[in-house]
Every structure is written in structure tokens, then in C-alpha cells.
Amino acid sequence: MRRLETPLSRALDALADATAAGNAFLLAGDGAFHLLDRPDPALLARTVPADRPQAWRTLDATVLHAALLDHVWHVPEDDPARIAYIHDTAATVEKAERDAGTAVLLHPVREEVVRDLARQGVMMPRKSTSFGPKPASGLVLRALDL
């Protein structure tokens, strides 16, 4: 893990660079950013379910939930009092700092990976396909032609 004394935009650039080489996460909440990348392969082998396709096992969201939250940090993922999902990066960092918490920032899953796994019938990790802004439900549920 590396401490980054940079503004959010530069920290996100560092995350993008690290993500190109494998799993990477940007942690925030103490006034600085911390780049966590290249997780231990032995940890991943022990914690990430092996009964799924390789593309699923190597998703950042999979590694976050299976290895980091469950086994390293011991944070139950189904506790809404301890975990929140926020789409706005700056708001996420501000909330973590305000609440003395930790924000974990990661890159979204590429569309082609989602499509490939969906064709295989594989369920994505929790919130890994969440997006914003959401379309208004009336636009999605009602036909626009007369």
C-alpha cells in the first residue's frame, strides 16, 4: 500500500494506472489517499471462490468483497450501517472523512465483461453493475409512442 499526498484527481489517475496491471483500490478517509494494489495471490487463492469463471474471480468487486471485506477487514457486507454505496467519488471521500470511515474507490467493470459473464449465467458481485444517474422509471416503463 502506498500513501498518496495528491488531490483526488491525481489519486484517481494513480488508481487507473494501477488497475491496468491488476486489482487496485484507492482508500480514503484520513485526509490522504492510499493505493492498495497487487493483492497477495495466496490470499486470493484462499478467499475468492474457485467455482466461477476467471473473469469473475479477477474483478475488483469480487476481490473487494471476498478477500478484503470478508477476510482481511472482517466487515460484514450485509450491514447497511457499516457499508454504503455512493456513486459520486468526491461525496464518497467527504462522507468517509466526516464519519471517520474508509472510502474504497475502484474502477467500474467493463461492459464487455458484464456481457460475457451474463451470457454464461454468472451473477455479478454485489453493486458491481450499479450505475448512476438512474433513468426516470416512467421513461423506462411506459411506451413513448401514441
Side-chain angles (χ1 to χ4, degrees), residues 14 32 35 46 48-49 57 60-61 64 78-79 97 111 129 141:
L35 182 64
R46 239 183 14 258
V48 176
R57 292 193 319 267
D60 287 341
L64 172 64
D78 59 351
D79 184 352
E97 290 177 352
E111 181 182 344
T129 56
L141 300 176

Side-chain angles (χ1 to χ4, degrees), residues 24-40:
F25 308 91
L26 190 62
L27 309 181
D30 66 350
F33 297 100
H34 306 271
L35 182 64
L36 177 62
D37 62 346
R38 297 175 305 214
D40 179 22

Side-chain angles (χ1 to χ4, degrees), residues 48-96:
V48 176
D51 63 343
R52 308 277 173 81
Q54 177 70 12
W56 183 89
R57 292 193 319 267
T58 58
L59 291 171
D60 287 341
T62 298
V63 172
L64 172 64
H65 288 282
L68 298 178
L69 288 175
D70 288 351
H71 290 84
V72 174
W73 298 329
H74 304 289
V75 175
E77 73 173 88
D78 59 351
D79 184 352
R82 297 188 66 188
I83 295 180
Y85 296 93
I86 303 172
H87 295 284
D88 182 273
T89 305
T92 301
V93 172
E94 290 170 15
K95 179 171 175 41

Side-chain angles (χ1 to χ4, degrees), residues 1-21:
M1 182 161 40
R2 289 183 300 159
R3 184 179 174 97
L4 306 174
E5 298 285 346
T6 62
L8 176 58
S9 61
R10 302 264 322 262
L12 290 172
D13 290 342
L15 174 62
D17 291 344
T19 300

